[in-house]
Amino acid sequence: MNILNASFASKRSVKSSEDDFSNNGIGIVHFGTGAFHRAHQAVYTHDVLAKNGGDWRILGVSLQSTQVADDLNGQDGVYTLAIRQENGLDLQLIKSIASVEAAVRSKTNIFRTLASSDTHIVSMTVTEKAYGIQRETGKIDTSHPAIAHDLENPEDPSGIIGMIVLGLKLRKEQGVKPFTVLCCDNLPQNGDLVKQGVLDFAMAIDEEQLADWIGAEGAFPNSMVDRITPATTRDLVEEVSQALGVKDRVPIETEPFSQWVIEDDFVTLRPEWEEAGALFVSLVEPYEHMKLRMLNGTHSLIAYMGFCSGHKYVRDVMADEKLLPLIKNHIKAAAQTLKPLEEIVFDEYAAQLIERFKNPNIAHETYQIAMDGSQKMPQRIFQPAVDALNKGLPFEPFALATAAWIYYCRGNHDNNAEYALRDPRETELLNAFKSGKTNARAIIQAFHELPDLIPGELAKSAEWLKAVETGLADFLQH
Ligand code: CS2
């Protein structure tokens, strides 16, 4: 038996395998076919294909690994979505991914599809660190490895910005309208940021006319994406394969909750994702601030405090009576920095978040969330802290989260066993911690002096520095 015609042997199942999209064409190229995409956009797209049909299948692109391409292609792009409900596991076969290209092997089909007038959308979940765009200026960071490579080799790019620019250039040359660039990473004003980076890159390779054309005709909608998706484990592969009666190498487990808010600004066609539950709005920023600050900011606090206290999963941190009040404080302080959103009562959103974090069926590792702190802390913790200080609101929870992150950056457990920070700025962070030895003030000073990380407003605030120092001194002592 093959996964395409698998039927579920046990447990509850939401949908079996009747859907067949093999005749639907490709309309989307998606960079980063990891767990999050497969629990989110690919599912919305599957649902729209099932409802309305259309040429909206996805060509996945993996920028670095070949594994996910091999695994998914070996199953005709089909995989199982396992939704952990309170009363069991819902399984659904997702069939919106046509196939996946590993860019390190060949880019021929990737650029053919990027240039094709049938492709309307290029979306991406490549994580915060992949872009190489400076937040403050929107300019490309020429020291970023992918940007540096692509500036030298604009006709054979390997990074996300270089590939988008070459894809758009091919379209311009062939008289095809630009595709819409839909960023689905947890970055503030993600669409605007990518647009600035793309335009700056085009200028940097002397493609002024291309930049003008993209600026005038392109579209880069902002979007807020949300679904808690732990990395796939061997246990999940076993559990799903058993329920399916056939091996699925790449199932995804996720929570029941899912949210997608998208700015309705597309060059040409788009799938009717609203029919699968997405919300199209004219302004995404308030939703994005809410999510980045209340969910992701709290997640980072949970991750650093939890990991350093020996908790493996988010749910374990939530069950720790000493830590839970600190987590609740953080969510509240984050909510206070937000502009009101008519559609959402922040207290209700907060209560829902607590339940989502507590979900006993989701094994979300604190170490997974702790990764890439230097790329996540600015929008999750530092910017809300600046707003809180400016508005005279409680800022201490953000100082505590900062202290917890700095403490994590020491890179070893209390028993001296080392762990990798898993951060592109790992060496700088470890050195900053070491430079202060065991002196909280000196360590904090070193972190605040790192370039392009903690905003100057915070580094200059005595009350902020004091609060972070108190938090860190406490961690160092206990
Ligand atoms: C998490 C996010 O790993 C992390 O940094 O905070 O991946 C989080 O689970 C998602 O944004 C939820 O939508």
Side-chain angles (χ1 to χ4, degrees):
M1 190 172 55
N2 172 297
I3 190 166
L4 278 172
N5 49 32
S7 63
F8 300 102
S10 63
K11 317 241 171 155
R12 281 175 50 203
S13 70
V14 278
K15 268 182 204 154
S16 65
S17 55
E18 287 121 47
D19 302 317
D20 175 12
F21 309 139
S22 46
N23 291 324
N24 298 66
I26 289 175
I28 301 172
V29 175
H30 183 85
F31 287 86
T33 354
F36 181 72
H37 169 69
R38 282 182 280 139
H40 194 268
Q41 182 186 346
V43 180
Y44 284 80
T45 308
H46 173 105
D47 290 349
V48 174
L49 284 165
K51 250 184 163 167
N52 301 343
D55 292 327
W56 288 120
R57 291 183 88 201
I58 300 167
L59 172 72
V61 178
S62 177
L63 282 176
Q64 271 152 13
S65 98
T66 51
Q67 188 70 46
V68 73
D70 291 345
D71 286 342
L72 273 167
N73 292 340
Q75 304 181 177
D76 294 318
V78 179
Y79 61 94
T80 313
L81 179 76
I83 304 177
R84 298 233 177 251
Q85 305 282 5
E86 254 170 54
N87 53 356
L89 195 61
D90 276 351
L91 300 177
Q92 183 182 0
L93 289 181
I94 303 300
K95 300 181 177 176
S96 50
I97 297 181
S99 62
V100 180
E101 293 285 346
V104 288
R105 276 198 197 126
S106 162
K107 294 179 194 139
T108 313
N109 189 35
I110 301 173
F111 283 108
R112 192 186 304 128
T113 316
L114 285 175
S116 161
S117 58
D118 294 335
T119 300
H120 298 283
I121 295 171
V122 172
S123 52
M124 68 224 57
T125 42
V126 286
T127 79
E128 297 90 338
K129 63 175 172 283
Y131 292 91
I133 307 171
Q134 292 164 352
R135 290 160 218 273
E136 309 255 304
T137 60
K139 300 268 177 222
I140 47 172
D141 171 3
T142 50
S143 67
H144 185 276
I147 296 281
H149 171 274
D150 295 356
L151 285 173
E152 291 289 311
N153 306 277
E155 297 299 321
D156 184 23
S158 60
I160 184 67
I161 298 297
M163 289 181 96
I164 293 175
V165 171
L166 181 56
L168 287 167
K169 183 176 172 207
L170 296 173
R171 290 171 85 97
K172 181 168 181 285
E173 285 166 1
Q174 291 166 26
V176 178
K177 280 187 182 191
F179 42 68
T180 298
V181 178
L182 178 57
C183 175
C184 296
D185 276 302
N186 280 324
L187 285 161
Q189 279 140 300
N190 50 10
D192 298 341
L193 187 79
V194 174
K195 180 176 182 179
Q196 285 178 306
V198 162
L199 295 182
D200 193 42
F201 186 94
M203 294 297 285
I205 55 166
D206 288 330
E207 290 283 358
E208 204 176 321
Q209 284 183 358
L210 176 65
D212 288 347
W213 177 75
I214 299 171
E217 310 229 351
F220 296 73
N222 293 298
S223 84
M224 179 271 249
V225 294
D226 188 9
R227 192 164 216 183
I228 291 175
T229 310
T232 297
T233 59
R234 251 190 239 136
D235 287 351
L236 181 75
V237 170
E238 278 309 303
E239 185 182 357
V240 167
S241 300
Q242 237 178 44
L244 221 54
V246 58
K247 179 100 174 176
D248 182 348
R249 291 178 191 285
V250 276
I252 298 296
E253 74 176 317
T254 191
E255 59 173 345
F257 183 93
S258 180
Q259 195 175 34
W260 196 8
V261 184
I262 312 167
E263 186 182 355
D264 204 354
D265 174 23
F266 286 71
V267 179
T268 51
L269 305 177
R270 62 162 175 82
E272 296 96 349
W273 279 316
E274 60 272 44
E275 297 198 22
L279 184 64
F280 282 90
V281 299
S282 54
L283 194 63
V284 172
E285 196 182 353
Y287 293 92
E288 162 216 292
H289 275 181
M290 173 186 81
K291 196 251 169 177
L292 281 175
R293 296 177 178 199
M294 292 180 71
L295 189 158
N296 296 116
T298 312
H299 240 178
S300 292
L301 171 76
I302 293 174
Y304 298 122
M305 256 182 0
F307 183 82
C308 297
S309 329
H311 292 307
K312 186 160 186 200
Y313 298 116
V314 170
R315 62 185 183 206
D316 305 334
V317 188
M318 298 301 288
D320 185 326
E321 280 173 16
K322 272 196 248 118
L323 302 184
L324 186 59
L326 303 173
I327 293 161
K328 288 186 172 165
N329 268 350
H330 188 102
I331 300 188
K332 201 165 155 201
Q336 285 175 311
T337 68
L338 301 173
K339 291 195 197 99
L341 243 177
E342 236 171 68
E343 301 75 11
I344 297 183
V345 180
F346 292 141
D347 281 353
E348 284 171 16
Y349 184 73
Q352 193 182 29
L353 279 183
I354 305 255
E355 289 315 306
R356 290 173 66 194
F357 293 157
K358 277 186 181 167
N359 189 339
N361 304 311
I362 295 282
H364 199 185
E365 288 199 20
T366 50
Y367 193 37
Q368 182 185 338
I369 303 166
M371 182 163 61
D372 293 342
S374 68
Q375 312 294 304
K376 295 173 175 175
M377 293 294 282
Q379 59 274 22
R380 297 179 178 203
I381 303 294
F382 304 147
Q383 204 45 55
V386 170
D387 288 355
L389 274 169
N390 286 341
K391 292 184 190 155
L393 294 167
F395 61 86
E396 294 79 0
F398 307 114
L400 178 70
T402 305
W405 166 65
I406 293 177
Y407 188 58
Y408 167 85
C409 289
R410 77 199 189 286
N412 58 268
H413 293 285
D414 294 341
N415 63 6
N416 285 332
E418 291 185 3
Y419 54 84
L421 304 187
R422 305 202 294 182
D423 191 299
R425 297 182 68 174
E426 176 136 4
T427 313
E428 275 177 87
L429 299 173
L430 286 169
N431 287 342
F433 197 95
K434 277 199 201 103
S435 73
K437 306 223 166 66
T438 51
N439 180 321
R441 180 167 299 180
I443 298 170
I444 282 163
Q445 181 89 19
F447 272 81
H448 283 76
E449 280 168 10
L450 290 171
D452 296 323
L453 194 52
I454 306 184
E457 288 104 314
L458 298 180
K460 279 187 231 123
S461 160
E463 47 180 352
W464 166 262
L465 293 174
K466 184 85 209 124
V468 183
E469 186 187 329
T470 309
L472 183 61
D474 212 34
F475 287 125
L476 287 167
Q477 270 162 31
H478 305 292

